[in-house]
Amino acid sequence: MAGLADSGSNPDVDLLYDINGLAKAAPPWFDRIMEFVGEYGLLFAMVLLVLWCWWTVRRRGGEDAAPSVAALAWAPLAAGVAVLVNVPIRGFVERPRPFNDHEGLEVLVDGKTDYSFVSDHATITMALAVGLFVANRRFGLVGLGIALLEGFCRVYMGVHYPTDVVGGLALGTAVALLLSPLAMALLTPVARAVERSPRAGWLIRARGRHHTEESRVATGTRNGAPGAEERDLAA
């Protein structure tokens, strides 16, 4: 299957040249920025986004804090599982990097000697984004945008075909979603146990938040109108 996209007459290769052609037309300083963003920057941005979401969830507290943190814990685990699943896929397809089969590409990153299908970067960012979406829709939508931008950057850099990126986005989504029910069933009780811990409870809920929530529930019950908490868990 190494000849999956050997011909320059197919749409996959045509789109590769169209997107990578933007790198040829761009000034060198902009290509250096895209190289850093596509190789490291967007992955780092996803990690920061997950941490930001965790900080927001624990400060807000509420009954959904533990399930939300469990979903956030699943996000990097899903990315790791997806990368492991990709190992046999790459070995089976054995698709060379596009610059090995097609001339005239502007390759922004050297040293890529492994196979091309599917893109690890697209797989990781999409798995993180979907896991984040399960925990919080607003943060998840930002994560999905970052994952799509990562996929564009990989083609722009000349190191992946568009279908490598599509495959990575699909793989990350499938792993994060299909295994999410099992992961949540295992991780949510752990998160609730951590929440009850005097020492580690701050990982789930900010200090003093538990007492505030209990007082609010008690007051609402006495008044006959318990307040409704905003649900962040996008289950």
Side-chain angles (χ1 to χ4, degrees), residues 39-59:
E39 193 73 5
Y40 308 107
L42 291 175
L43 289 175
F44 184 63
M46 281 298 307
V47 172
L48 290 181
L49 190 64
V50 171
L51 291 175
W52 186 10
C53 184
W54 164 74
W55 185 261
T56 301
V57 166
R58 68 177 289 277
R59 286 194 65 185

Side-chain angles (χ1 to χ4, degrees), residues 83-172:
V83 169
L84 291 177
V85 172
N86 190 28
V87 172
I89 294 176
R90 282 195 170 196
F92 175 72
V93 178
E94 294 185 346
R95 187 186 205 182
R97 295 279 181 170
F99 51 78
N100 290 324
D101 289 339
H102 304 285
E103 298 180 352
L105 292 174
E106 185 77 10
V107 183
L108 303 186
V109 180
D110 297 326
K112 298 292 184 181
T113 58
D114 55 345
Y115 293 122
S116 185
F117 186 89
V118 297
S119 167
D120 276 339
H121 280 71
T123 300
I124 292 171
T125 52
M126 195 62 174
L128 287 170
V130 173
L132 191 58
F133 187 84
V134 172
N136 186 291
R137 285 190 176 91
R138 288 180 296 175
F139 282 91
L141 288 175
V142 176
L144 292 174
I146 292 176
L148 294 176
L149 181 58
E150 179 68 84
F152 174 83
C153 287
R154 302 308 288 176
V155 181
Y156 180 97
M157 295 160 62
V159 294
H160 280 293
Y161 294 96
T163 47
D164 296 339
V165 169
V166 173
L169 297 177
L171 178 59

Side-chain angles (χ1 to χ4, degrees), residues 215-233:
S215 300
R216 182 182 303 170
V217 171
T219 302
T221 302
R222 286 195 300 269
N223 293 338
E229 289 288 335
E230 176 188 357
R231 293 185 61 88
D232 277 339
L233 186 64

